[in-house]
Amino acid sequence: MFVVATAGHVDHGKSTLVHRLTGMWPDRLAEEQRRGLTIDLGFAWTTIDGRDIAFVDVPGHERFVGNMLAGVGPVPAAMFVVAATEGWMPQSEEHFAALEALGVQHVLVVISKADLADPSRTISEVRERITDAPVALGTDLDAVRAGLARLVDQLPTPPSDSDVRLWVDRSFTVRGAGTVVTGTLAAGTIRVGDQLEHNGRLLTVRGLQSLGRDRNAVSAVARVAVNLRGVDRESVRRGDAIRTPGAWLDTSEIDVALRSAGKLHQRLTLHIGSAAVPVHVRPLGDVGARLRLTRALPLRVGDIGLLRDPGAHHISAGVEVLDVRPAPLRRRGDARARAAELATGRVAPPVCVRANELRAMGFENSGLRVGEWVVSSDWWAERRQVALAAVDRWAAEHDIAAGMPFETLRQQVGLPVVDLVPALLDGTGLQLRDGLVQRPGVDLPPRVDKAVQTVREWLAAEPFRAPEAAELAELKLGPKELAAAVRAGRLTRIAEGVVLGPDAFDRAAEVLAGLPQPFTVAEAKRALNTTRRVAVPLLEQLDARGATTRADDGTRTVSDRGAGDADQVG
């Protein structure tokens, strides 16, 4: 199917031409039929030489330009009607400026009422304004049909597997069916049974119609009526979008390139798809701007819209969306740098973003994939150097070789999540352990090293006599110093404030294996020549490592495998 919108000045015969081509009168409202004036969007369709063509008929009166833009916004081609009796008129100019701003390049001009006036003058006026569009006389319907066939044959075929975003131009209720919305499907495919999203809610496609017939699936480009389950008619309005769940980002601030720019005011209306949203405009250079929308829309890089001043009845500028998540302009020079970037017509994607968000923003996935993230290769390499310097700086500024916490490193490097830290440091040779980062072979500070060496000399003589708290305090070995010694492999932590030598578990298992099995805590305490303060947590650690097995009566048995072969825990 192909979709073509009409355009042109009021009373130049757009609806009449559609009726003559299709046999269907597009004006559907009683007020339109009573006044003989198109007020809102009308729809009709026909088949021309095997091509199904749907028409979106738009009003030509200046009071209803907003409705006209809602119909033209998602449509790739237009049939532009100019009456021979009046020629190029003010709304001819505004409608054509709108088509230019929206990037509608496929246009067929039809000179209507050629039986009432010589069309040559009007054709000349059209040629002055539209230099490359074919022209047909409305009195020759065969020529109009042939022109439409050539027009739609030039249209690109959109991918049927694209994410769906249906801009709603009409919402109503059908008795027995529920809520129905209509729109021009510009990309993707909608199927009966699909789940689509609207304002954060999941809706089910209950039924589909296109060109007046029930369908199981409709692919772009097409006029489609979607029967939705899970929403009432009042909740869906013109300018809303029904879309693929999770595939789009709602945004209320965008950076755009200006196309066919006119005079920009601070407050204008953005027309995009079928939506019309008031925006605050901040110019960025001569060909760029930042727009702050009064309500969020699902937009992507590459979307085309236009800015209009409703009070002045003229198009201010066509816009192309370049960024749907622009960075704040806080520092001096940010706005100038952004203006220069927008002037190139292209914005670099975020340096670090989740892959699904990158797609939803409309950028190509051209960066380095790190898990679910996509990063700029240059930025990633720079972050790695920053991380190495940060780890060295941390080690120099902290007396105890505890290592730099992951979260601290994440903040200093500027990573969005701590899960990226191990990937960033992969291949750097840094040690990552228990949420800390340090260079391998980092030794203890001299004062701590000397104190730990004293403890080890004590333990060499009595391996299971853990120093008392007072002894550790005298050596100035507090919790941080002891933790650093444990991380460095110089001591083994048995319990809070209880440390033994690095081979304590293996030596204890060897001693206990020489006891009659099973054995009690008291027997273990005597064999190890230690106190209950050490024996109880030491046995519990051996239990956890699988070196010993505790029976219900509290006795224990040394397992066949030693502590050195057991799984390391704690």
Side-chain angles (χ1 to χ4, degrees), residues 242-317:
I242 310 296
R243 71 261 199 171
T244 301
W248 299 85
L249 293 177
D250 285 328
T251 179
S252 56
E253 192 168 56
I254 58 176
D255 281 354
V256 300
L258 302 176
R259 302 149 46 99
S260 61
K263 185 176 181 181
L264 289 180
H265 297 290
Q266 191 176 49
R267 300 190 181 279
L268 296 169
T269 297
L270 172 67
H271 293 267
I272 195 163
S274 62
V277 179
V279 297
H280 177 274
V281 181
R282 178 181 179 178
L284 294 172
D286 296 330
V287 292
R290 175 158 297 184
L291 308 182
R292 187 175 301 118
L293 286 61
T294 55
R295 71 179 177 96
L297 294 176
L299 303 179
R300 279 188 177 173
V301 172
D303 283 343
I304 302 297
L306 63 82
L307 294 171
R308 180 173 178 266
D309 183 348
H313 299 295
H314 70 79
I315 307 301
S316 296

Side-chain angles (χ1 to χ4, degrees), residues 149-167:
R150 287 190 295 270
L151 179 72
V152 299
D153 285 348
Q154 299 170 11
L155 297 177
T157 302
S160 60
D161 58 350
S162 295
D163 298 324
V164 167
R165 179 183 55 181
L166 178 70
W167 291 106

Side-chain angles (χ1 to χ4, degrees), residues 290-494:
R290 175 158 297 184
L291 308 182
R292 187 175 301 118
L293 286 61
T294 55
R295 71 179 177 96
L297 294 176
L299 303 179
R300 279 188 177 173
V301 172
D303 283 343
I304 302 297
L306 63 82
L307 294 171
R308 180 173 178 266
D309 183 348
H313 299 295
H314 70 79
I315 307 301
S316 296
V319 299
E320 179 180 355
V321 177
L322 297 185
D323 196 348
V324 298
R325 191 185 283 174
L329 304 175
R330 295 195 180 105
R331 297 175 300 179
R332 178 177 296 180
D334 281 354
R336 188 182 309 108
R338 190 56 163 177
E341 188 175 17
L342 296 180
T344 68
R346 182 180 181 275
V347 169
V351 293
C352 184
V353 65
R354 286 186 171 87
N356 62 330
E357 293 183 3
L358 190 70
R359 176 181 175 182
M361 295 168 71
F363 287 110
E364 294 184 2
N365 189 344
S366 57
L368 176 66
R369 188 67 182 259
V370 181
E372 65 177 2
W373 294 81
V374 178
V375 300
S376 160
S377 298
D378 291 342
W379 178 84
W380 190 248
E382 291 172 358
R383 295 302 91 196
R384 180 165 291 176
Q385 295 304 312
V386 171
L388 292 171
V391 171
D392 288 342
R393 187 167 57 251
W394 176 274
E397 294 173 354
H398 292 76
D399 187 30
I400 300 172
M404 188 174 187
F406 275 21
E407 175 58 22
T408 304
L409 181 60
R410 179 199 73 79
Q411 293 177 12
Q412 292 193 16
V413 172
L415 298 180
V417 293
V418 75
D419 292 346
L420 286 172
V421 171
L424 181 70
L425 300 180
D426 185 32
T428 62
L430 293 176
Q431 291 179 341
L432 284 67
R433 181 180 177 186
D434 299 329
L436 299 172
V437 183
Q438 63 181 184
R439 288 196 178 275
V442 174
D443 208 349
L444 298 173
R447 70 170 184 85
V448 179
D449 179 77
K450 182 178 179 180
V452 169
Q453 185 59 36
T454 299
V455 172
R456 289 181 59 130
E457 291 172 359
W458 294 346
L459 294 171
E462 297 180 90
F464 303 105
R465 181 194 173 280
E468 298 293 336
E471 294 174 314
L472 293 173
E474 186 176 349
L475 293 172
K476 296 184 179 180
L477 290 177
K480 292 182 178 180
E481 288 78 8
L482 291 177
V486 170
R487 279 190 294 271
R490 304 284 297 280
L491 295 175
T492 297
R493 181 184 182 277
I494 305 303

